[in-house]
Each structure stands twice: as structure tokens, then as C-alpha cells.
Amino acid sequence: MRWLSSTPRRTFVLWPILLVGAEAAMQQGVPRIELWALPLLAWGYLQYYLVGRFRLRQGRGGPGISIPPERLVTGGPYRWCRNPMYLGHLIFFAGLALALRSWLAAAVLAGHIVWFQRRVRDDEGRLAALFGDAYRDYRGSVKRWIPGLF
């Protein structure tokens, strides 16, 4: 069960296995894969992984918010999006839904959008308490999810 407590393990290992298995059962065979959507899976994972490495180098702390960064990271990908690692998860889920052409995977994506939005709000409260006005200024100038939009 401890293994399942890791959000990346659930996103990048468990959910793909469950969704491919569910689609195989519903389609009574190997599900058809839309090859054009596979780059979204790679993009989502690489965005999560590479941005995470960047955040660890720049801000120190742990890989998740449970061990918060020692320094506020506002450069690199954080210059355009406050949550590029979480966005990587969502891009991966979108790729999975499109690659499988699956309404079930789309529902999992929708559920994770809601879950990550709630998680981000909790994280923002912790970061505001930790970094004060510097974080509030950053939050006011950089969008939460998509640069220039929201």
C-alpha cells in the first residue's frame, strides 16, 4: 500500500495498467492504440520528471510538497506555470485518454483535474505561509496552469 501512496507511481504505472486492462476487457481483446497520441504520454512524463529534477536542484527540499522547497523557485519552467510538474501528470492522462480513445480514461483525467486543483490550493497555502509576500507576488504574476490563460 505504501507504494500506492506515491502520486507518480499511480499516474505513470498503475493507471495505465488499469485503463489498458479495462479497455481490453471492454473491447474483448488488445485495445486499439492511437499512435499519434503517444507523444503526449512521453511529454507528460518527461515534463514531470525533468521539471522535478530542476525544482530539486533550484529549491532543494523533497520531491513533493511534503518536504517543501528551501527556496522559492520562479525560474525555468516555473516562470510560465506555477505547477508544471502537476501539469505533466495531466498531459500524461490526456495522452492516455486520446491514445486509448477511452471515455473511461477521459473520466479519470477529469477526476484528476479536480484532484490536482484541490491539491494545488492546499500547496499554495503552505507556500504562502513558508515564503510570504515573495510567493504571493509570484502567484499574482504567473498563472496556475496554462501560461497566459489560467
Side-chain angles (χ1 to χ4, degrees), residues 111-128:
H112 278 87
I113 288 170
V114 171
W115 185 78
F116 275 115
Q117 180 72 6
R118 189 183 74 228
R119 185 169 176 176
V120 162
R121 288 191 176 154
D122 292 344
D123 291 352
E124 288 176 344
R126 287 188 217 126
L127 291 168

Side-chain angles (χ1 to χ4, degrees), residues 1-2 6 9 17-18 20 31 34 37 39 58 61 68 72 89 97 100-101 116 119-120 126 135:
M1 287 307 276
R2 184 170 175 226
S6 165
R9 287 184 190 133
I17 291 169
L18 291 175
V20 168
E34 295 292 339
Q58 298 296 311
L72 182 61
H89 285 263
L100 293 172
R101 293 181 51 162
F116 275 115
R119 185 169 176 176
V120 162
R126 287 188 217 126
Y135 180 74

Side-chain angles (χ1 to χ4, degrees), residues 61-119:
I65 195 68
S66 60
I67 304 171
E70 297 170 10
R71 293 186 297 263
L72 182 61
V73 179
T74 60
Y78 290 91
R79 181 175 303 135
W80 298 286
C81 172
R82 292 196 317 258
N83 300 286
M85 290 176 68
Y86 293 161
L87 183 57
H89 285 263
L90 296 176
I91 291 167
F92 182 87
F93 278 121
L96 198 54
L98 293 168
L100 293 172
R101 293 181 51 162
S102 168
W103 289 105
L104 179 59
V108 169
L109 167 62
H112 278 87
I113 288 170
V114 171
W115 185 78
F116 275 115
Q117 180 72 6
R118 189 183 74 228
R119 185 169 176 176

Side-chain angles (χ1 to χ4, degrees), residues 1-56:
M1 287 307 276
R2 184 170 175 226
W3 188 87
L4 290 175
S5 69
S6 165
T7 303
R9 287 184 190 133
R10 287 191 312 267
T11 296
F12 303 115
V13 179
L14 182 63
W15 277 113
I17 291 169
L18 291 175
L19 290 168
V20 168
E23 287 299 321
M26 288 187 289
Q27 296 176 27
Q28 299 178 345
V30 177
R32 194 172 103 215
I33 304 291
E34 295 292 339
L35 297 178
W36 63 266
L38 293 180
L40 286 173
L41 297 169
W43 172 13
Y45 176 76
L46 287 172
Q47 180 166 318
Y48 156 78
Y49 179 77
L50 295 174
V51 170
R53 290 179 54 100
F54 176 82
R55 186 184 81 78
L56 286 174

